[in-house]
Amino acid sequence: KQEVTQIPAALSVPEGENLVLNCSFTDSAIYNLQWFRQDPGKGLTSLLLIQSSQREQTSGRLNASLDKSSGRSTLYIAASQPGDSATYLCAVNPSQIPLVFGKGTRLSVIA
Amino acid sequence: DVKVTQSSRYLVKRTGEKVFLECVQDMDHENMFWYRQDPGLGLRLIYFSYDVKMKEKGDIPEGYSVSREKKERFSLILESASTNQTSMYLCASSGEAGNYNEQFFGPGTRLTVL
């Protein structure tokens, strides 16, 4: 059974720091991996989608990488800002069944 | 932009009431999903649908049913609400049937059952 783990569960950094959020999954047979952002009490916003054939995707200050063989993905956030404070979730898309989510990393960026 | 809307942001109901949560998407997506989210438990899939009138059980379907009479609308029904169904409910949709590609979420409904 596919399992997704995100470590750490919470992270606090000063403004301006570059940071990396980690996501690991147990079964490398995936179609894609998706990173989401969730603000308190809100729905999930899709940040990046990496197809299984890709190694990375970039959007603005965000860069997500995927290493299928080792079951790992990272979300890199450059020059963090207080507005980046949120919970970040990763989810993998296994073969023919819906997404499997990690429990998220709660990020606080301190001004 | 894909838009997924949910009928209510906040809802308060009494134990035993029948509760309807509605979700509508405007991108002609085939797949629709209902999740609940609880602190410490993360997102859990309740039901999903890959076509009109089709439904599949997720991880926690007990106490819930769904209806998909039109492609754009997916309803979650709590037949007899209980306090342990107090939660954040999230609806999502994605493109091709059976191809669970990028998912887009609605804003969520915070349901409280008293």
Side-chain angles (χ1 to χ4, degrees), chain B residues 84-114:
Chain B
N84 64 13
Q85 292 178 310
T86 291
S87 187
M88 171 70 104
Y89 289 87
L90 293 162
C91 175
S93 71
S94 68
E96 298 174 41
N99 178 3
Y100 301 103
N101 235 314
E102 188 172 10
Q103 278 198 16
F104 298 89
F105 279 79
T109 295
R110 172 75 64 184
L111 173 67
T112 302
V113 183
L114 302 175

Side-chain angles (χ1 to χ4, degrees), chain B residues 12-26:
Chain B
V12 180
K13 296 291 181 182
R14 298 271 179 206
T15 300
E17 278 193 77
K18 191 168 186 176
V19 181
F20 292 87
L21 302 183
E22 300 267 301
C23 175
V24 177
Q25 50 92 7
D26 68 357

Side-chain angles (χ1 to χ4, degrees), chain B residues 65-104:
Chain B
S65 62
V66 290
S67 172
R68 193 162 181 208
E69 296 296 318
K70 293 186 178 182
K71 190 176 185 180
E72 67 272 17
R73 189 179 298 269
F74 193 35
S75 302
L76 180 69
I77 303 152
L78 287 66
E79 296 290 344
S80 178
S82 63
T83 55
N84 64 13
Q85 292 178 310
T86 291
S87 187
M88 171 70 104
Y89 289 87
L90 293 162
C91 175
S93 71
S94 68
E96 298 174 41
N99 178 3
Y100 301 103
N101 235 314
E102 188 172 10
Q103 278 198 16
F104 298 89

Side-chain angles (χ1 to χ4, degrees), chain A residues 5-105:
Chain A
T5 303
Q6 293 186 248
I7 294 173
L11 182 64
S12 184
V13 300
E15 182 178 6
E17 196 163 291
N18 301 325
L19 60 101
V20 174
L21 306 181
N22 296 296
C23 172
S24 62
F25 47 96
T26 54
D27 188 342
S28 62
I30 63 170
Y31 281 155
N32 56 54
L33 183 144
Q34 196 168 355
W35 281 94
F36 296 89
R37 169 188 172 132
Q38 186 177 31
D39 293 293
K42 303 286 180 64
L44 278 66
T45 300
S46 178
L47 295 174
L48 290 163
L49 174 74
I50 312 177
Q51 301 292 353
S52 61
S53 57
Q54 298 175 317
R55 292 297 297 233
E56 62 180 276
Q57 279 284 346
T58 298
S59 176
R61 293 182 294 109
L62 305 180
N63 176 276
S65 68
L66 174 63
D67 184 342
K68 257 184 49 172
S69 59
S70 68
R72 292 181 187 277
S73 177
T74 61
L75 179 67
Y76 174 82
I77 303 177
S80 59
Q81 303 170 357
D84 294 329
S85 298
T87 296
Y88 292 81
L89 296 100
C90 77
V92 299
N93 184 354
S95 174
Q96 296 303 310
I97 60 173
L99 296 182
V100 179
F101 284 84
K103 292 186 178 178
T105 294

